[in-house]
């Protein structure tokens, strides 16, 4: 394995789960998330010489989002918007506990999946991936002020729909 | 009930403000009922979202990506590398040799612990002894790393001890205590102190790191958790005693 590949594995691959999580929440489909992440990792590797240090996670997630946007344009032309919810349950020790948890988790996942795109992405990036406002602005290509107001509105609408359902 | 300051309060709650701006937001929060309600709601929502699914890349996808990268050919050699032969290359080699014989500098230490953390995450072998019981982890580390750092479970503060492993930091064998916070992992490294200067807290490749000395050991915490949780964890880790 050459040095470039080794550096890529050390810097980008640790963020593969984050990349997949974002792709999965944006596309809401395991099959599309697979394609998006595969495409993104290949683009990231080809463009790796252009990556001048800094935050590898934000860099990779920016590529994932771009891949999703270009895939999204194709999907929208085909006219389908999948919401699949398989694979949501992790292996839990206590089956009864797991059933209760997975039921609540499944409902919550469905609520998050129903949020509008621009709310969903800031919420996932902030609450699951712990990205800063500056990083979210970089990834989504929106000004920081927009990130802040979208995040506030995203939280308010999720709170609102979560209240109705519980 | 509304308040014009909600976006600033939100920034404060998200750990985006520091210094005077943070103090100002904090003061406002103490007197504004609307912002106090926002703070409570935001914390509740954060807790709720911690229970949503954080999807992990399937192994099959991981494997496919490895194969794809294997097939990628090396890009053509940049022209200036060809030009850097002869005297230029000799000078370059000489300057590199000087760096190679220096003891690990503060900058290389940051890289070393971040890389060790990243390597373990990639290889999915972050834990060699899985246990939340410090009575199990501590003797295992003593036997395998030859080091006896304090091992404490901070589960009541939200940092759950999940196990330990042996790793390497800049040529030294290191004991690693592995913690989980929500969906994130925190590695706490400990290795014998050799009087090396320790780096400032920093961020490399998306991972935060913070270093300190205690007794005859050097410590480093590495994670991709948010800055608030990271500060809280390092404060707890630094306060623990043998």
């Amino acid at each position: 394995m050459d040095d470039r590949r080794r550096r890529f594995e050390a810097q980008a691959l640790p963020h593969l789960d984050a990349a997949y999580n974002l792709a999965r929440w944006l596309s809401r489909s395991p099959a599309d998330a697979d394609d998006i992440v595969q495409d993104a990792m290949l683009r990231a590797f080809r463009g790796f010489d252009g990556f001048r240090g800094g935050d590898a996670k934000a860099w990779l997630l920016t590529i994932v989002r771009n891949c999703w946007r270009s895939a999204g344009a194709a999907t929208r032309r085909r006219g389908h918007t999948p919401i699949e919810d398989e694979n949501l349950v992790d292996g839990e020790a206590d089956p009864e506990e797991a059933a209760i948890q997975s039921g609540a988790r499944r409902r919550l996942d469905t609520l998050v999946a129903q949020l509008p795109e621009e709310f969903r992405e800031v919420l996932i990036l902030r609450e699951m991936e712990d990205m800063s406002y500056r990083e979210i602005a970089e990834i989504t290509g929106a000004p920081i002020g927009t990130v802040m107001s979208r995040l506030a509105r995203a939280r308010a609408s999720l709170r609102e729909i979560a209240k109705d359902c519980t | 009930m509304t308040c014009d300051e909600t976006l600033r309060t939100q920034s404060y709650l998200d750990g985006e403000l520091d210094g005077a701006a943070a103090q100002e937001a904090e003061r406002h929060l103490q007197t504004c009922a609307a912002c106090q309600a926002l703070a409570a709601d935001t914390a509740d929502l954060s807790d709720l979202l911690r229970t949503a699914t954080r999807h992990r890349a399937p192994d099959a996808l991981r494997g496919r990506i490895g194969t794809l990268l294997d097939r990628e050919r090396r890009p053509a050699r940049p022209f200036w590398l060809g030009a850097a032969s002869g005297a230029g290359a000799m000078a370059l080699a000489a300057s590199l040799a000087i760096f190679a014989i220096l003891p690990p500098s503060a900058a290389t230490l940051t890289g070393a612990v971040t890389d060790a953390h990243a390597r373990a995450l990639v290889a999915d072998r972050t834990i060699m002894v899985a246990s939340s019981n410090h009575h199990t982890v501590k003797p295992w580390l003593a036997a395998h790393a030859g080091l006896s750092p304090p091992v404490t479970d901070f589960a009541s503060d939200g940092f759950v001890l999940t196990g330990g492993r042996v790793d390497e930091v800049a040529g030294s064998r290191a004991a690693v205590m592995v913690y989980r916070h929500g969906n994130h992992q925190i590695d706490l490294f400990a290795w014998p102190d050799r009087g090396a200067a320790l780096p400032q807290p920093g961020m490399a490749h998306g991972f935060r790191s913070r270093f300190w000395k205690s007794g005859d050991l050097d410590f480093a915490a590495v994670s991709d958790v948010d800055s608030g949780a990271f500060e809280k964890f390092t404060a707890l880790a630094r306060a623990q005693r043998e």
Side-chain angles (χ1 to χ4, degrees):
Chain A
M1 200 185 289
D2 64 23
D3 180 53
R4 180 164 172 273
R5 172 75 182 271
R6 251 194 299 275
R7 279 191 298 118
F8 184 76
E9 300 228 326
Q11 296 185 21
L13 275 193
H15 305 297
L16 183 61
D17 280 338
Y20 182 78
N21 186 50
L22 179 64
R24 189 62 197 269
W25 277 110
L26 289 176
S27 68
R28 299 178 294 191
S29 142
D32 287 353
D34 262 34
D35 291 348
I36 290 165
V37 170
Q38 199 171 302
D39 185 22
M41 292 309 284
L42 206 53
R43 282 202 216 175
F45 186 59
R46 287 176 183 158
F48 190 50
D49 291 331
F51 172 61
R52 296 268 168 264
D55 193 322
K57 187 174 174 180
W59 173 72
L60 189 62
L61 294 185
T62 308
I63 299 173
V64 168
R65 188 179 176 278
N66 289 340
C67 288
W68 168 67
R69 304 245 15 141
S70 27
T75 308
R76 272 191 289 276
R77 275 197 300 277
R78 287 208 308 275
H80 87 137
T81 37
I83 301 182
E84 299 172 36
D85 65 349
E86 58 192 72
N87 291 338
L88 287 181
V89 188
D90 293 336
E92 301 279 350
D94 177 2
E96 201 173 324
E97 175 78 357
I100 297 166
Q101 276 196 2
S102 75
R105 169 178 288 199
R106 197 178 284 265
R107 276 194 299 280
L108 174 62
D109 285 351
T110 309
L111 294 182
V112 177
Q114 284 165 355
L115 288 174
E117 233 163 75
E118 73 266 27
F119 287 0
R120 212 160 63 230
E121 68 181 359
V122 291
L123 214 53
I124 299 301
L125 288 169
R126 175 61 223 165
E127 297 282 357
M128 282 194 191
E129 300 306 336
D130 290 318
M131 296 278 98
S132 69
Y133 291 178
R134 189 186 49 75
E135 287 163 336
I136 298 173
E138 195 181 302
I139 294 166
T140 60
I144 287 198
T146 308
V147 169
M148 287 164 68
S149 57
R150 271 185 199 164
L151 191 54
R153 284 158 58 211
R155 280 169 167 156
S157 29
L158 182 59
R159 204 178 294 133
E160 204 49 44
I161 54 174
K163 204 191 313 172
D164 289 348
C165 293
T166 46
Chain B
M1 192 162 37
T2 54
C3 168
D4 293 341
E5 303 288 336
T6 49
L7 283 187
R8 188 179 66 173
T9 300
Q10 175 180 256
S11 307
Y12 170 68
L13 298 170
D14 282 328
E16 294 278 335
L17 303 182
D18 46 38
Q23 284 171 12
E24 212 174 298
E26 169 77 58
R27 268 198 303 278
H28 171 75
L29 189 55
Q30 278 165 7
T31 57
C32 173
C35 284
Q36 282 165 8
L38 177 75
D41 285 349
T42 306
D44 287 350
L45 195 72
S46 236
D47 286 344
L48 180 67
L49 277 170
R50 240 181 267 286
T51 66
T53 305
R54 186 174 190 236
H55 300 282
R56 290 179 60 113
D59 290 340
L61 173 65
R62 214 173 264 277
R64 229 166 28 245
I65 289 168
T67 313
L68 276 173
L69 297 187
D70 287 342
R71 279 197 217 130
E72 283 291 293
R73 295 253 301 278
R74 246 189 101 71
R77 207 168 128 98
F79 71 92
W80 49 265
L81 266 186
S85 53
M90 298 269 288
L92 183 66
S95 66
L96 289 177
I98 293 168
F99 282 114
I101 56 172
L102 287 172
S105 71
T108 57
L109 263 180
T110 304
V113 294
T114 318
D115 283 353
H117 178 71
R119 268 200 313 272
L121 286 177
V122 171
D124 215 6
R125 57 191 295 276
T126 53
I127 291 177
M128 292 171 173
V129 53
S131 173
S132 58
N133 186 338
H134 61 107
H135 293 303
T136 308
V137 177
K138 192 174 165 71
W140 187 91
L141 287 172
H144 293 82
L147 297 166
S148 284
V151 179
T152 315
D153 185 14
F154 303 118
S156 55
D157 292 289
F159 304 97
V160 184
L161 178 69
T162 52
R165 71 171 187 278
V166 179
D167 214 313
E168 197 194 290
V169 172
S172 293
R173 186 176 284 199
V176 187
M177 285 65 79
V178 182
Y179 291 86
R180 195 142 274 288
H181 178 71
N183 292 315
H184 301 269
Q185 180 174 320
I186 305 175
D187 277 356
L188 177 60
F189 293 81
W191 65 95
D193 179 38
R194 298 218 183 83
L198 296 180
Q200 292 298 308
M203 185 97 181
H205 315 320
F207 298 109
R208 293 172 208 287
S209 56
R210 184 182 271 275
F211 294 77
W212 66 92
K213 287 179 197 288
S214 175
D216 53 0
L217 294 175
D218 288 349
F219 288 84
V222 184
S223 182
D224 64 348
V225 292
D226 64 273
S227 62
F230 193 65
E231 288 305 311
K232 191 172 161 196
F233 175 79
T234 52
L236 289 166
R238 296 182 73 148
Q240 61 182 334
R241 291 278 169 265
E242 288 294 321

